[in-house]
């Protein structure tokens, strides 16, 4: 039997309870670390659970950046350099990934504070997370302010990808569950992934 929650009831809750409820309501999400660097070469690392595929041709991927007053460094670095990395999170590193959400001062690298390893690849100025098995590079393309809550949709185009050998199926599908990546629920819940099926493209009969 379902329990009903009205908007008026939700608004009577304290802000943390309400936020946890609403953040969980939309379901499981991808869990990634975005790596950036500023113009002075100081690296930044931040965990995101709202990265979304926007299209395959051109290959576009977006994420929602919180209001600048709450989370300025990632977006500032992306706008300054134009390049950033996305690194999927595994069970062995999720606690460190979670810690990157702490509000460290500008100029302090989350890599150093969490013990995650900066990795640089030729041709990319932004850092990768060495512990991550799936990594890709995005080029900043468009910033779309969302006036309703002062957040931003940040859109990037795929430049490069690094994935383990053996996880790509014949149709191009990446069986990411083989890499041990996690998914998230709300802002603090972490879950393992398991493949159930990979169905063929749906067609009318």
């Amino acid at each position: 039997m379902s329990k009903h929650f009205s908007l008026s009831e939700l608004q009577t809750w304290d802000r943390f309870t309400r936020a946890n409820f609403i953040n969980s309501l939309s379901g499981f999400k991808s869990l990634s670390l975005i790596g950036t660097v500023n113009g002075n070469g100081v690296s930044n690392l931040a965990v995101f659970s709202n990265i979304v595929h926007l299209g395959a041709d051109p290959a576009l991927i977006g994420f929602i950046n919180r209001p600048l007053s709450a989370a300025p460094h990632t977006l500032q670095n992306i706008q300054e350099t134009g390049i950033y990395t996305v690194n999927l999170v595994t069970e062995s590193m999720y606690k460190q990934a979670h810690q990157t959400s702490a509000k460290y001062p500008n100029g302090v690298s989350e890599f150093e504070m969490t013990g995650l390893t900066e990795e640089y690849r030729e041709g990319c100025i932004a850092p990768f997370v060495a512990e991550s098995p799936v990594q890709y590079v995005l080029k900043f393309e468009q910033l779309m302010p969302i006036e309703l809550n002062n957040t931003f949709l940040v859109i990037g185009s795929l430049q490069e990808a690094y994935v383990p050998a053996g996880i790509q199926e014949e149709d191009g599908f990446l069986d990411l569950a083989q890499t041990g990546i996690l998914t998230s629920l709300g802002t603090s819940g972490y879950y393992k992934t398991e493949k159930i099926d990979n169905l063929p493209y749906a067609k009318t009969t």
Side-chain angles (χ1 to χ4, degrees):
M1 183 176 181
S2 297
K3 184 176 181 180
H4 173 251
F5 297 92
S6 66
L7 177 59
S8 59
E9 179 182 354
L10 297 182
Q11 290 173 334
T12 66
W13 297 356
D14 69 84
R15 60 186 293 260
F16 293 107
T17 302
R18 184 172 64 251
N20 284 332
F21 181 90
I22 296 173
N23 283 337
S24 302
L25 189 61
S26 56
F28 295 103
K29 306 173 185 69
S30 64
L31 180 63
S32 305
L33 287 161
I34 292 182
T36 62
V37 65
N38 66 20
N40 295 322
V42 178
S43 61
N44 180 266
L45 192 63
V47 65
F48 285 84
S49 61
N50 52 32
I51 296 177
V52 61
H53 159 82
L54 297 176
D57 188 18
L60 299 176
I61 294 173
F63 73 92
I64 301 296
N65 198 92
R66 292 186 296 159
L68 291 181
S69 59
H73 303 147
T74 296
L75 183 53
Q76 287 176 355
N77 291 353
I78 289 173
Q79 290 180 299
E80 190 170 349
T81 67
I83 295 291
Y84 49 110
T85 71
V86 180
N87 308 265
L88 303 192
V89 175
T90 64
E91 186 174 2
S92 66
M93 55 191 280
Y94 78 95
K95 291 183 180 179
Q96 294 159 294
H98 182 83
Q99 185 60 32
T100 66
S101 63
K103 294 183 179 180
Y104 294 108
N106 191 23
V108 173
S109 173
E110 286 79 4
F111 282 99
E112 296 179 9
M113 301 307 295
T114 63
L116 291 170
T117 308
E118 288 185 54
E119 179 181 27
Y120 289 89
R121 298 182 184 272
E122 185 177 355
C124 181
I125 62 172
F128 295 86
V129 180
E131 291 83 357
S132 173
V134 179
Q135 311 163 331
Y136 54 95
V137 182
L138 296 176
K139 175 185 175 184
F140 175 56
E141 297 291 352
Q142 187 175 358
L143 182 69
M144 300 181 66
I146 301 174
E147 296 179 357
L148 287 170
N149 61 357
N150 294 319
T151 60
F152 301 86
L153 172 61
V154 185
I155 300 174
S157 59
L158 181 66
Q159 303 297 302
E160 301 176 80
Y162 301 90
V163 301
I167 71 167
Q168 182 179 350
E169 300 185 358
E170 290 185 4
D171 62 357
F173 177 84
L174 295 175
D175 186 6
L176 295 180
Q178 290 188 40
T179 69
I181 66 163
L182 302 184
T183 185
S184 69
L185 184 62
T187 58
S188 58
Y190 299 95
Y191 295 79
K192 295 181 180 180
T193 57
E194 179 183 358
K195 179 184 175 183
I196 297 175
D197 204 349
N198 180 17
L199 297 176
Y201 188 80
K203 299 178 181 179
T204 57
T205 56

